[in-house]
Each structure stands twice: as structure tokens, then as C-alpha cells.
Amino acid sequence: LISRSHNSVLYFSKLFKNSDIVTIGVCLDKSVLYSCYGESNLNNQLTIAIQLLIEHYCQFLIKNSATGDICYESMQPEQNIKIQQRIYELKALGTLYYSPKTIQDHLREIHFEPKTNNLAGLQLADFVPNTLGRYAAMMKPKNRDFAKNVRSKLYDGGKTDGKYKFGFKVLS
């Protein structure tokens, strides 16, 4: 495993800066969503985030004439099942923007990998949510260069103004 030491953050910062990496993220501002929609009425947060991530991932795959899988770090079996079930639902029912056929044509499978498998992509992905979450909350980044490099790799959807439409969406 790669530690979260200062050296690993520097390594990942350079990796983001120098590699052809694209990132997609979603952040939910629960307090605003609760005040707008009511905590008891609001859809499950995981459901909201996964749907938006799948839509943006499919948009990326379509723009690149590609298909793709999702690799997720394995959690408790019940949590894995909930995530897998939600993705199956999206493939069966579609999303706000994409039909079931579009999602099925571009999104293949979801894989759950144990942390002990030490997959480099999952280790790299571990650093992104905290970095984007701190940005959304207007908090000082733990490492300014790393945060800047992560944000520079946000998916733009093929549009000059698309980084905060497709790459990183804050729902509030």
C-alpha cells in the first residue's frame, strides 16, 4: 500500500500533473439539500451521487466512443450489494438524461476489489474525494499543488465551461 505520507502526496501530485488522467466527482451539501427538500423526503444520498456519476461517466464514454467498467473498493457485503443494486437499476431504468439502452451500451460491469489487492488506481482514487470535498467546502487543501493538479484533471465534457458541469458537481 502507498502511505499517505508527504512523499506519496508529492508523487501523486506529479502523476496527476503529468498523466492523461480524467476525474469525475460529486459532492452533496446535505444541509442545503435537507433544508430544500426535507431530510425525511430526500432520496438516499448514495442514490443521488451514483446516478450523477453514472450520467457523467456515460457522457465521457459516449464522447470517447468507449465502454467502461466501474472498479470500486470493496466495503461490507451489504454496502457492496446496495451499490451494485443501484447500478443495475440505472442500467434497467435509465437516468434523467440517458436511456437504459445507452447505459447498457457503454457501462459494462462493476467490480468490487478488496483494499488488500493494492490496486494502484484505487489508491490514486482514494486521494480525490477528500481533495474535492475540501474544495467544495472552501477549506484549505492539505496540499495546494496536489489539489490544483486534481482540479486541472476534472472532466470538461468537451466544453470549455464544462469542468464544473461534468467533472465536479456540487449538489445543493
Side-chain angles (χ1 to χ4, degrees):
L1 287 170
I2 296 174
S3 71
R4 293 186 179 263
S5 70
H6 179 70
N7 287 339
S8 63
V9 173
L10 291 175
Y11 171 77
F12 281 142
S13 184
K14 287 179 185 176
L15 185 64
F16 266 95
K17 185 176 183 178
N18 298 324
S19 299
D20 189 20
I21 293 174
V22 175
T23 58
I24 297 172
V26 174
C27 185
L28 305 176
D29 186 333
K30 293 191 297 189
S31 62
V32 174
L33 292 172
Y34 289 168
S35 71
C36 290
Y37 300 101
E39 185 173 354
S40 62
N41 300 319
L42 192 63
N43 207 345
N44 179 286
Q45 296 164 34
L46 176 68
T47 297
I48 295 168
I50 286 177
Q51 178 169 327
L52 193 55
L53 286 169
I54 295 299
E55 286 178 343
H56 291 181
Y57 185 41
C58 279
Q59 200 271 356
F60 171 82
L61 293 170
I62 291 165
K63 286 281 187 188
N64 290 282
S65 302
T67 59
D69 291 342
I70 296 172
C71 183
Y72 211 99
E73 188 171 280
S74 186
M75 298 181 285
Q76 296 297 320
E78 309 82 44
Q79 292 171 304
N80 294 345
I81 290 168
K82 282 182 183 178
I83 293 167
Q84 188 172 41
Q85 181 62 40
R86 185 60 187 135
I87 290 175
Y88 287 160
E89 288 170 3
L90 292 171
K91 288 178 87 171
L93 302 173
T95 66
L96 182 62
Y97 296 111
Y98 289 121
S99 69
K101 181 178 180 342
T102 299
I103 294 173
Q104 292 165 23
D105 287 347
H106 293 279
L107 185 61
R108 292 183 308 221
E109 295 296 326
I110 181 168
H111 307 277
F112 293 92
E113 294 290 336
K115 190 174 196 78
T116 55
N117 285 0
N118 297 330
L119 294 180
L122 286 179
Q123 291 179 21
L124 183 61
D126 267 351
F127 285 83
V128 175
N130 183 276
T131 301
L132 293 177
R134 293 179 77 79
Y135 178 73
M138 293 183 271
M139 295 172 61
K140 183 180 177 188
K142 290 182 179 180
N143 181 295
R144 192 176 61 215
D145 286 336
F146 178 73
K148 182 179 100 180
N149 290 334
V150 167
R151 287 193 313 273
S152 76
K153 297 299 181 165
L154 290 171
Y155 176 54
D156 66 7
K159 303 179 180 314
T160 57
D161 62 346
K163 280 193 177 196
Y164 296 98
K165 177 176 179 71
F166 296 105
F168 183 49
K169 189 72 169 180
V170 178
L171 298 175
S172 55

